[in-house]
Amino acid sequence: MNYFLAKSEPGTYSIDDLERDRRTTWDGVTNPQAVRAIREMKPGDRVLIYHSGKERAVVGVAKVVSEPRTDP
């Protein structure tokens, strides 16, 4: 199992949104380093959810449930 860090703007998609939705697709990522990290993710890996902006903190942990897909 590997661990990754995923940054999210809480005003765009927060840990509360993820908890409500139970699942999401992490799309729209344009940073090359972040895209490479997403391509390395495998089911069972853990993702530390980091809120940027005023909070600047890890606010939760998520689990990868599928292989990476091409960004729609």
Side-chain angles (χ1 to χ4, degrees), residues 1 8 10-12 15 17-19 23-24 28 31 35 41-43 48-50 54-55 57-58 60 66 68-69 71:
M1 174 176 36
S8 177
T12 303
I15 190 68
D17 296 321
L18 181 58
E19 288 172 348
R23 262 184 131 143
T24 192
N31 177 289
V35 170
M41 292 178 182
K42 302 288 182 223
L48 303 172
I49 307 297
Y50 174 85
K54 292 180 185 177
E55 241 178 306
V58 172
S66 70
R69 295 187 283 269
D71 192 337

Side-chain angles (χ1 to χ4, degrees), residues 21-71:
D21 297 344
R22 310 277 299 151
R23 262 184 131 143
T24 192
T25 300
W26 218 265
D27 58 358
V29 177
T30 57
N31 177 289
Q33 186 176 8
V35 170
R36 279 193 302 276
I38 289 171
R39 288 180 182 151
E40 291 177 16
M41 292 178 182
K42 302 288 182 223
D45 287 346
R46 298 291 190 244
V47 181
L48 303 172
I49 307 297
Y50 174 85
H51 277 179
S52 55
K54 292 180 185 177
E55 241 178 306
R56 292 185 185 169
V58 172
V59 294
V61 180
K63 181 173 77 173
V64 177
V65 296
S66 70
E67 294 288 332
R69 295 187 283 269
T70 303
D71 192 337

